[in-house]
Amino acid sequence: MAMVNLTINGQKVSAPAGSTVLQAARLANIDIPTLCDHPALAPIGACRMCLVEVKGQRTLQPACTFPIAEGMEVQTESQPVTDARKFVLDLLFAERNHYCMYCEMSGDCELQALGYRYGIDHWVYPTYTKRFPVDASRKYFLMDHNRCILCRRCVRACSELVANHTLGVRQRGAASMIQADMDVPFGQSTCVSCGTCLQVCPTGALVDKRSAFMGRDIQTQHIQSTCAQCSIGCGMEIVTRDGNVLRIEGDWNAPVNAGLLCQKGRFDPLYDARPRITKPLVRKNGVLKEVDWDTAVQIVVQALKDTNAKDWGVLTTTYATNEALYLLDKLFRQELGVTNVGLLNDVAPKMVEKANGSLADVNNSDIILLVGANPASEQPVASFFIKRALNKGARLIVVDDQENGLAAFASMNLGMAEVEKAIEFAQRATNPVVLYGAGVTSEAARALQKLSGKAAFVALEPGVNTRAAAALGLNSGFDPSASKALYVLLGEQNWNGELVKKDAFVIVQASYQSPLTERADVVLPMAIWAERTGTVTNTEGRIQKVNKAVEPKGEAKPDWEILSLLASKMGKKIGTSLDEVSAHAAQAIHPS
Amino acid sequence: MFEKVLTRNFSLPRSESIDTYLANGGYQALQKVLREYTPEQVIEMVTASGLRGRGGAGFPAGRKWAFIPKDPQIEKYVCVNTDEGEPGTFKDRELVEKDPHQVIEGVIIASYAVGAHRAFVYIRGEFFLGVKRWIKAIDDAYAKGFLGKNILGSGFSLDLSVHRGAGAYICGEETALIESLEGKRGQPRKKPPYPASVGLWGKPTLVHNVETLANVPHIINRGAEWYASIGTPKSTGPKIFCVSGHVKNRGIFELPLGVPLREILYEYAGGMAFDKKLKAVIPGGASTPMLTPDQLDIPMAFETLEAAGTMLGTGAIIVMNEDTCMVDVARRLMRFFAHESCGHCTPCRTGTTRMLALLEDLEHGRGKAEDIERLEEIASKMRGLTFCPMGDAAANPILSSLKLFRDEYEYHVKYKRCAVAA
């Protein structure tokens, strides 16, 4: 790549051609303050904080948009520059209500930090006395227009990253206001509550309701992990303080999502109000009694020994780690010989011999076939990718017999029987992508084979770790009525246990109380997503790490640890340390 | 008496009709261009004529045309800027209402020169008659074969249509005009890239003021040399001056560039109304710094006004007599700019609002001595900081009125009323 040489503050800097002054400065670790700029968003040069002196230019230029040129001389902290920045800050602080001491973001606010940096110790201009509204109509976060500096990061995040185009600006000049749709309350708008705007807001204008006033960033810990609420596997940071999860933020450096999260991943897990199971429970005289782990495990081991393998049934959620699924498969299917094994959700059919597509292909596609999958509700982040591609000019054809959340965005909506028509369009395209889910019929799957070699096939697996479960062969078809004893790895999922025989012996490994745990004979308390370490496999087959952010509640144990405990009590040596199990699991999921 | 060029048909009956225009030598320049000239020759002629943009900035038209890429594979557009919103300016409206075909002919020639096959008229939404006249004129031009496919058998095609603005001053700025034309929020784009390389829908786009384009047919008909002989060496050609304010005859006057301001005011505009004393003149529209009576002999040309620290702008001359309160003038101007700021960048959005608040206080006798300094500070710091030139436009008149009439501001602070008899 061609490099351009310039000097910033007398320091020689070289940066790729086409960079802006700000990008070049960042490469050289030269700090230029910004407000409206965000690395993930296109620069708009609105706030005028990043103004720098460029030799030969009549006026100060915004570093975020000004392109570099060979031999350019830039000053980032000269007197005219700092004067200008101070002036801009004076104006910003006087525009709306920026009394920091009452603000949730105080301490973490970018505007406040710049105020300190440039010595804004009083209001130079009379402050704005007008009161702006606060919109708290959304469930998870609120918009306080009084704190808004109109940087439009939220607007750009909503349109550029999420491609949802809910946010915009109404009016003009000082009357400009961030608004949703055609000025409706946020809670009644087309907002999908992905929270991306919340994550990019530099001030306290967008505030998370749950974690508000629960501590400054410096008092918290950020634990990198992978979201395990659907099969996309978005990188996230779990923000905790004193052993409590405050909120979840998207990881800007994550390979799959690059910062995006959705309502399912960012907010819903924190609002789970179901009562937890904190101790092992065993049914005695018809009543579930709390016991210690040894007793519970002893009873399970005894049951496993007493019952014939062909009378056993094993059912698992896909909300489990690779390690747990591997151990489940190893212990029950391979060591004990249980054959009646199944998943709590469907699996997308195997479409191509070797998966050749990734979610990144969606971005460069010109036509997208969405077949038998509903990412708008199942894998929202994937639906953002699709809408982003549509913004760039791609066309979407939805092939689905069910109601589809992206139907309104499609240039064509077809039934599963009309899949041929969609295939015709894909054959004429340059970069077609087929996104398929469990709803693909076998006829449609056969027809779509025509596109192999031409199109990128990307599965949108239902559930979470479905890809790993399928690779391990855990989806071999399950009949609950056939088993006299049942081991259910229920985890965080809900299942009412229909069709389970009345007299069957049921062992449940679960995090929350549910109809099935009420009916079970043994309940083993399991840790939830934030309390476990391990790996998960996303729908592309990418194995990613999940990390423990907080300690398991009560005596709950991580999913794989419970199975490892059972195995060792039964005298089976199938791995005891996490690293060992992870390595075995990875090998089993991606046999090399 | 100067021979009228742009307004020569204005006094004819039904001057806006295509028949009148044709009967007076209309569309002959177009026929000449299509038959005899290559696009390069047209650009050369316009460059040689020295024609400069009449929308305010005075950029040489020929150079602007030459910036448009020559590659015929690249689609290009021409936009006619009829978003005349600068307070005090009413020349484009007259041109469109009284002689729209003159402009259309200019558009076709410009499009031919830069290789555009699609042109748009962006007209201010409030110009109701203007819209009607534009549409009628375009329809008539299509009917006569001056627009559409294969114009006059030359093989050159051009489509022209009218787009109405929704009432924003800033859409007169070329990139904001393009944004609005694309159906987006009317606010300027960052420059570079300039519209000549990345404009409407990302394609090279030539945006011209109505008056600029109206000059083009005359340059073709009568030659670049004739055109360059009018006006001063650096500001050539005729210019329509809009005179408003405290003069006897308000209206438009077509005169050669370089004509002394005194001549416009006293010979053409009939001098001061009610024989009051002249106090100040805004020479080029609301965003240009003011002139005082001792500067009346200044020639009205781009370079001379620039040397005097102001601008020719759109040639909108606003005359103020001795009864005018200059604080009130500043307040009214700032009310306009605060209202028209698009709100994109901080200094313009907040700076204009703060200045307006200070001016309101001063005008209504609530001002303090430091408010004058504050006002001067905002205006001077705001210049050059904003995203588009509108920040400068808002600051200029304030700075000049503070420079020239500071005593009036101080009077307001001291006596809590205007210095002039009210």
Side-chain angles (χ1 to χ4, degrees):
Chain A
M1 191 185 290
M3 298 298 273
V4 171
N5 300 302
L6 63 157
T7 54
I8 303 180
N9 302 342
Q11 181 185 337
K12 282 196 165 26
V13 173
S14 72
S19 304
T20 62
V21 173
L22 182 63
Q23 286 164 337
R26 281 192 176 140
L27 276 181
N29 285 323
I30 296 168
D31 181 42
I32 297 177
T34 56
L35 272 177
C36 69
D37 183 73
H38 189 280
L41 304 169
I44 55 167
C47 71
R48 317 309 275 181
M49 265 320 290
C50 66
L51 290 171
V52 292
E53 216 178 333
V54 180
K55 201 173 174 186
Q57 290 289 324
R58 194 177 56 86
T59 55
L60 300 178
Q61 295 295 332
C64 67
T65 57
F66 202 76
I68 54 168
E70 189 67 37
M72 186 183 266
E73 287 175 43
V74 180
Q75 289 293 331
T76 69
E77 294 286 337
S78 62
Q79 197 58 45
V81 168
T82 49
D83 283 352
R85 285 185 193 150
K86 199 162 179 300
F87 173 63
V88 169
L89 283 170
D90 281 337
L91 289 176
L92 273 177
F93 272 100
E95 191 176 17
R96 293 192 181 183
N97 181 343
H98 296 295
Y99 290 85
C100 300
M101 52 284 208
Y102 306 117
C103 182
E104 196 278 319
M105 281 294 274
S106 183
D108 299 331
C109 172
E110 294 180 35
L111 178 67
Q112 187 190 32
L114 289 171
Y116 279 121
R117 176 164 167 181
Y118 289 99
I120 309 295
D121 46 12
H122 67 291
W123 274 275
V124 175
Y125 306 113
T127 55
Y128 212 99
T129 48
K130 194 177 163 197
R131 241 187 239 188
F132 293 89
V134 176
D135 188 327
S137 59
R138 263 182 297 214
K139 182 181 173 189
Y140 306 102
F141 54 106
L142 57 83
M143 169 91 201
D144 183 351
H145 291 282
N146 295 287
R147 309 287 195 200
C148 177
I149 55 166
L150 294 168
C151 69
R152 292 157 170 81
R153 276 192 198 176
C154 55
V155 177
R156 283 175 287 155
C158 194
S159 52
E160 289 172 24
L161 298 180
V162 190
N164 209 49
H165 301 281
T166 297
L167 297 180
V169 181
R170 74 159 182 269
Q171 272 287 0
R172 66 185 183 211
S176 301
M177 291 274 272
I178 303 298
Q179 65 160 14
D181 296 335
M182 299 303 267
D183 197 15
V184 296
F186 289 103
Q188 295 167 23
S189 68
T190 55
C191 171
V192 293
S193 288
C194 69
T196 311
C197 54
L198 171 68
Q199 194 171 319
V200 296
C201 181
T203 69
L206 284 161
V207 177
D208 180 31
K209 286 186 185 174
R210 193 177 174 279
S211 69
F213 299 103
M214 300 248 270
R216 294 181 179 185
D217 203 53
I218 199 165
Q219 297 163 312
T220 65
Q221 281 178 296
H222 287 242
I223 294 103
Q224 283 210 335
S225 191
T226 304
C227 176
Q229 304 299 328
C230 83
S231 58
I232 301 299
C234 297
M236 63 173 183
E237 283 179 7
I238 306 173
V239 183
T240 69
R241 184 181 181 188
D242 299 339
N244 293 301
V245 179
L246 297 186
R247 63 178 174 274
I248 297 171
E249 288 177 358
D251 179 359
W252 295 110
N253 301 318
V256 179
N257 57 318
L260 291 186
L261 287 178
C262 65
Q263 179 188 331
K264 279 175 70 166
R266 192 191 296 268
F267 298 114
D268 285 347
L270 302 176
Y271 284 78
D272 204 327
R274 290 177 287 171
R276 284 288 295 275
I277 295 167
T278 52
K279 280 192 167 170
L281 304 170
V282 170
R283 192 169 294 279
K284 278 181 190 155
N285 305 325
V287 187
L288 279 177
K289 287 260 160 54
E290 286 183 2
V291 294
D292 58 23
W293 267 103
D294 281 345
T295 318
V297 168
Q298 200 52 51
I299 291 167
V300 175
V301 169
Q302 199 55 49
L304 286 168
K305 281 182 182 158
D306 290 353
T307 316
N308 220 324
K310 69 169 172 41
D311 292 331
W312 270 99
V314 174
L315 196 58
T316 179
T317 176
T318 50
Y319 285 72
T321 56
N322 288 344
E323 290 72 15
L325 293 174
Y326 166 76
L327 289 176
L328 193 75
D329 174 64
K330 191 83 180 159
L331 178 64
F332 285 92
R333 236 160 49 99
Q334 294 177 32
E335 296 282 342
L336 300 173
V338 177
T339 51
N340 192 11
V341 178
L343 293 181
L344 278 166
N345 57 259
D346 293 332
V347 177
K350 199 164 182 182
M351 202 75 91
V352 276
E353 225 12 77
K354 204 150 170 62
N356 64 340
S358 73
L359 288 163
D361 291 327
V362 174
N363 198 30
N364 302 319
S365 61
D366 54 354
I367 196 159
I368 300 164
L369 266 51
L370 184 63
V371 195
N374 188 7
S377 61
E378 300 301 315
Q379 301 90 3
V381 172
S383 78
F384 305 158
F385 294 157
I386 295 172
K387 287 195 267 181
R388 234 149 72 171
L390 299 186
N391 274 359
K392 286 166 68 181
R395 292 206 298 154
L396 173 68
I397 300 179
V398 172
V399 185
D400 205 343
D401 289 337
Q402 314 292 323
E403 201 173 304
N404 197 298
L406 287 178
F409 298 88
S411 45
M412 195 180 280
N413 282 288
L414 302 169
M416 204 59 81
E418 305 164 288
V419 71
E420 289 288 350
K421 218 163 149 188
I423 292 168
E424 268 178 51
F425 280 103
Q427 272 164 339
R428 288 206 293 270
T430 324
N431 296 313
V433 169
V434 180
L435 288 167
Y436 60 98
V440 182
T441 58
S442 48
E443 293 83 31
R446 246 197 319 281
L448 284 165
Q449 302 289 346
K450 276 186 231 164
L451 289 173
S452 66
K454 166 94 182 163
F457 282 84
V458 189
L460 290 175
E461 295 282 3
V464 184
N465 210 357
T466 312
R467 182 74 181 254
L472 293 165
L474 288 168
N475 58 330
S476 48
F478 175 76
D479 179 9
S481 56
S483 44
K484 288 181 185 150
L486 193 61
Y487 191 95
V488 187
L489 204 175
L490 187 62
E492 297 158 51
Q493 211 171 347
N494 262 341
W495 185 53
N496 60 11
E498 54 186 346
L499 300 173
V500 174
K501 274 201 208 163
K502 281 237 156 48
D503 56 347
F505 187 77
V506 179
I507 304 161
V508 186
Q509 185 179 327
S511 308
Y512 295 107
Q513 288 178 22
S514 66
L516 188 67
T517 61
E518 297 292 314
R519 184 243 171 272
D521 295 284
V522 180
V523 183
L524 305 173
M526 191 179 125
I528 58 167
W529 55 274
E531 304 167 348
R532 65 186 185 189
T533 298
T535 55
V536 287
T537 310
N538 87 341
T539 191
E540 306 161 301
R542 196 189 291 265
I543 295 177
Q544 303 184 107
K545 232 172 137 49
V546 293
N547 286 313
K548 184 168 85 174
V550 291
E551 287 302 321
K553 195 161 186 189
E555 291 176 24
K557 286 182 192 292
D559 47 8
W560 69 273
E561 225 176 288
I562 297 172
L563 288 157
S564 164
L565 190 66
L566 287 179
S568 68
K569 279 281 152 59
M570 291 183 73
K572 312 277 185 201
K573 288 207 168 57
I574 51 174
T576 45
S577 79
L578 177 67
D579 290 342
E580 193 187 340
V581 180
S582 294
H584 285 313
Q587 178 64 27
I589 291 161
H590 289 308
S592 51
Chain B
M1 187 80 176
F2 173 67
E3 179 216 335
K4 296 212 182 331
V5 180
L6 304 171
T7 58
R8 74 202 150 100
N9 293 342
F10 276 25
S11 54
L12 298 177
R14 288 184 38 77
S15 64
E16 76 279 6
S17 76
I18 194 162
D19 298 327
T20 314
Y21 189 62
L22 284 170
N24 289 280
Y27 288 111
Q28 276 171 15
L30 176 65
Q31 299 186 27
K32 199 164 151 187
V33 161
L34 293 179
R35 260 187 231 124
E36 297 170 23
Y37 296 153
T38 64
E40 288 74 25
Q41 283 172 315
V42 179
I43 297 179
E44 265 169 41
M45 269 186 92
V46 172
T47 310
S49 75
L51 171 64
R52 292 173 71 168
R54 302 290 197 244
F59 195 81
R63 252 172 75 199
K64 203 167 177 178
W65 294 15
F67 284 151
I68 305 283
K70 302 282 177 289
D71 187 351
Q73 297 299 316
I74 303 174
E75 198 166 357
K76 304 159 194 99
Y77 300 109
V78 170
C79 296
V80 188
N81 187 349
T82 326
D83 195 59
E84 186 174 52
E86 182 82 15
T89 315
F90 40 87
K91 60 185 177 63
D92 297 342
R93 187 179 64 187
E94 294 286 310
L95 278 167
V96 169
E97 289 177 3
K98 298 226 169 96
D99 202 354
H101 286 283
Q102 183 180 218
V103 188
I104 292 182
E105 194 175 359
V107 176
I108 305 169
I109 296 169
S111 303
Y112 173 76
V114 300
H117 299 287
R118 188 78 178 85
F120 299 88
V121 171
Y122 186 93
I123 185 164
R124 186 174 162 184
E126 293 91 332
F127 283 180
F128 300 108
L129 183 61
V131 173
K132 271 189 178 168
R133 292 273 156 95
W134 258 126
I135 292 172
K136 173 85 172 87
I138 289 172
D139 285 348
D140 289 346
Y142 267 106
K144 298 265 185 206
F146 297 126
L147 283 171
K149 292 252 175 313
N150 194 10
I151 296 168
L152 304 173
S154 64
F156 174 71
S157 306
L158 178 73
D159 283 310
L160 180 63
S161 60
V162 178
H163 183 98
R164 289 181 69 178
Y169 168 68
I170 197 64
C171 289
E173 197 275 344
E174 55 182 0
T175 56
L177 182 150
I178 288 169
E179 283 279 292
S180 175
L181 199 51
E182 286 184 8
K184 297 177 188 155
R185 187 181 159 84
Q187 59 183 41
R189 292 178 179 176
K190 62 174 193 238
K191 290 190 232 173
Y194 291 88
S197 48
V198 182
L200 189 60
W201 293 302
K203 301 289 190 315
T205 305
L206 181 72
V207 186
H208 259 318
N209 176 262
V210 164
E211 193 190 349
T212 320
L213 289 164
N215 278 292
V216 174
H218 304 289
I219 296 171
I220 303 293
N221 276 334
R222 302 171 70 170
E225 242 169 74
W226 161 82
Y227 191 88
S229 72
I230 306 170
T232 70
K234 280 186 175 165
S235 307
T236 59
K239 173 85 189 84
I240 302 178
F241 293 100
C242 319
V243 184
S244 60
H246 303 137
V247 287
K248 284 196 180 117
N249 308 327
R250 296 173 288 270
I252 57 163
F253 303 97
E254 187 187 353
L255 295 164
L257 277 166
V259 61
L261 179 57
R262 186 184 298 279
E263 199 181 316
I264 303 179
L265 294 193
Y266 289 95
E267 220 163 283
Y268 296 95
M272 297 302 290
F274 311 114
D275 295 320
K276 294 266 185 184
K277 259 174 73 189
L278 175 68
K279 190 176 202 173
V281 179
I282 294 177
S287 52
T288 56
M290 298 172 194
L291 294 172
T292 46
D294 55 316
Q295 291 172 294
L296 280 191
D297 290 313
I298 192 165
M300 292 294 282
F302 291 105
E303 67 279 10
T304 48
L305 283 166
E306 211 177 306
T310 180
M311 287 188 299
L312 179 66
T314 55
I317 300 165
I318 304 171
V319 183
M320 289 166 278
N321 70 15
E322 55 188 327
D323 291 347
T324 318
C325 169
M326 297 316 287
V327 180
D328 193 37
V329 168
R331 182 183 67 99
R332 280 160 188 262
L333 288 173
M334 195 45 65
R335 203 163 58 185
F336 172 78
F337 287 114
H339 179 66
E340 293 295 345
S341 167
C342 79
H344 182 74
C345 72
T346 313
C348 176
R349 180 184 72 227
T350 317
T352 52
T353 326
R354 307 275 29 123
M355 284 198 280
L356 178 61
L358 291 166
L359 284 162
E360 294 276 3
D361 280 357
L362 286 166
E363 169 67 13
H364 293 116
R366 299 188 298 260
K368 296 183 284 288
E370 60 262 36
D371 286 355
I372 303 174
E373 286 162 42
R374 258 317 83 90
L375 185 66
E376 192 168 23
E377 181 187 299
I378 300 179
S380 56
K381 284 187 174 177
M382 194 169 128
R383 269 161 53 101
L385 289 198
T386 50
F387 187 81
C388 77
M390 171 136 168
D392 291 14
N396 282 338
I398 303 305
L399 285 173
S400 82
S401 90
L402 274 168
K403 197 173 103 195
L404 301 172
F405 304 102
R406 201 182 185 95
D407 53 333
E408 285 197 32
Y409 287 83
E410 281 159 1
Y411 192 97
H412 272 84
V413 171
K414 201 166 167 192
Y415 299 104
K416 312 208 178 299
R417 62 181 175 86
C418 293
V420 293

